[in-house]
């Protein structure tokens, strides 16, 4: 019976089959061949790993480039509708329901930006969406939101008006995105994170452009505001409904600064925006025993929402459930459509789509 194991008396040689036939090799040569083969195998594995890494890096670079291209490409505004039907449930006639993102896409907000009467309404709506409703929008609606915001910023840069509210809007949006991007991967925002990082860079760039605006003083060709009597100047100031506008006006020159400190101006602002009960809860007395209406106004603004006033707003028909702009007609079947129509604020517009 042949011995199949290794004999301890063996000289250390073994038969190996080669291309030219069988031949004897020693253990040292065998170890060298094995080490060469293992080295070649490791080298091949390293080469394959480097190739795979290169391919993955190329794919990642192409994906980032594709994301940026998709982000830069504008969404065509397929819907420029003057009114939409708001349905909150399925019926025999209609299936599904209308969401905030659908309403934001379908209503004609692009033309509304160009209308001075509707501009502040759109800016306030964008700010409310940025603070709490951005994750609830669909991917198309989020992209449409950024495109509309870009148009708003471009209009402000061209007209050099309404700079302060747009700065506040961009700041609110940037702070919201900073918190939302940290939760990426939890279905908070739609799209690749590279897209949102690029959008945040655009927001910072827009803020820088707004900071660099230099409003040129127009050439005086007639009477200015400071040339009017003080009583007329105060009457003009009473038409301002925002305390920040009064503060900005007072920084123009010392004479206007003195007039903007008038107690009656700030008293009328407080009584316009807040109720008597709210005012009584936030009384601030001066050293002379009078009320500090200016300080009370800003304190009330921090505690309560101020009254919003817009030249033109969206309207809602309670009879046919149609949302439309004020100057556009809608196919209402009521005998007296005006009696069923109510004006809605930006916050009421958002609440309309909460189920």
């Amino acid at each position: 019976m042949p011995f199949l194991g290794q004999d301890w008396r063996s000289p250390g040689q073994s038969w190996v089959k080669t291309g030219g036939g069988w031949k004897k090799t020693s253990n040292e040569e065998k170890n060298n061949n094995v080490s060469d083969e293992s080295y070649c195998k490791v080298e091949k594995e390293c080469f394959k790993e480097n190739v795979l890494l290169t391919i993955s890096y190329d794919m990642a670079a192409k994906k980032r480039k594709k994301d940026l291209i998709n982000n830069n490409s504008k969404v065509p505004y397929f819907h420029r509708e003057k009114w939409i039907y708001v349905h909150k449930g399925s019926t025999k006639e209609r299936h599904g329901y209308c969401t905030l993102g659908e309403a934001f896409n379908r209503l004609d907000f692009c033309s509304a930006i160009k209308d001075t009467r509707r501009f502040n309404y759109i800016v306030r709506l964008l700010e409310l969406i940025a603070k709490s409703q951005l994750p609830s929008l669909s991917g198309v609606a989020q992209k449409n939101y950024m495109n509309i915001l870009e148009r708003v910023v471009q209009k402000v840069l061209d007209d050099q008006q309404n700079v302060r509210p747009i700065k506040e809007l961009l700041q609110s949006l940037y702070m919201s995105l900073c918190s939302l991007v940290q939760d990426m991967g939890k279905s908070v925002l739609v799209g690749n994170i590279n897209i949102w990082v690029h959008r945040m860079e655009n927001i910072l760039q827009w803020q820088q452009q707004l900071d660099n605006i230099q409003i040129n003083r127009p050439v005086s060709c007639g009477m200015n505001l400071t040339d009017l009597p003080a009583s007329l100047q105060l009457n003009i100031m009473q038409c301002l409904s925002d305390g920040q506008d009064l503060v900005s006006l007072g920084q123009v020159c010392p004479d206007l600064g003195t007039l903007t400190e008038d107690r009656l101006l700030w008293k009328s602002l407080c009584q316009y925006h807040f109720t008597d009960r709210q005012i009584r809860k936030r009384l601030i007395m001066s050293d002379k025993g009078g009320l500090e209406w200016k300080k009370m106004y800003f304190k009330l603004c921090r505690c309560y929402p101020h009254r919003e006033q817009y030249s033109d707003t969206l309207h809602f028909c309670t009879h046919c459930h149609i949302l439309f702009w004020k100057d556009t007609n809608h196919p209402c079947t009521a005998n007296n459509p005006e009696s069923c129509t109510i004006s809605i604020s930006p916050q009421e517009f958002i609440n309309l789509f909460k189920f």
Side-chain angles (χ1 to χ4, degrees), residues 130-147:
K131 288 181 178 180
S132 59
Q133 300 298 322
L134 192 60
S136 65
L137 300 181
S138 63
V140 176
Q142 290 177 0
K143 194 171 183 179
N144 193 24
Y145 177 93
M146 296 303 299
N147 290 335

Side-chain angles (χ1 to χ4, degrees), residues 250-266:
Q251 295 173 354
V252 175
C253 65
D255 294 336
L256 292 177
T258 303
L259 290 177
T260 54
E261 295 295 331
D262 186 73
R263 293 178 64 255
L264 295 179
L265 281 177
W266 293 101

Side-chain angles (χ1 to χ4, degrees), residues 314-352:
L314 284 169
H315 284 64
F316 182 72
C317 181
T318 58
H319 177 75
C320 56
H321 298 280
I322 285 181
L323 189 66
F324 62 98
W325 288 106
K326 181 180 178 180
D327 58 350
T328 58
N329 296 323
H330 70 285
C332 186
T333 59
N335 296 328
N336 188 9
E338 295 182 358
S339 62
C340 306
T341 301
I342 57 174
S343 175
I344 60 173
S345 64
Q347 184 61 55
E348 292 172 341
F349 173 82
I350 294 177
N351 295 337
L352 194 62

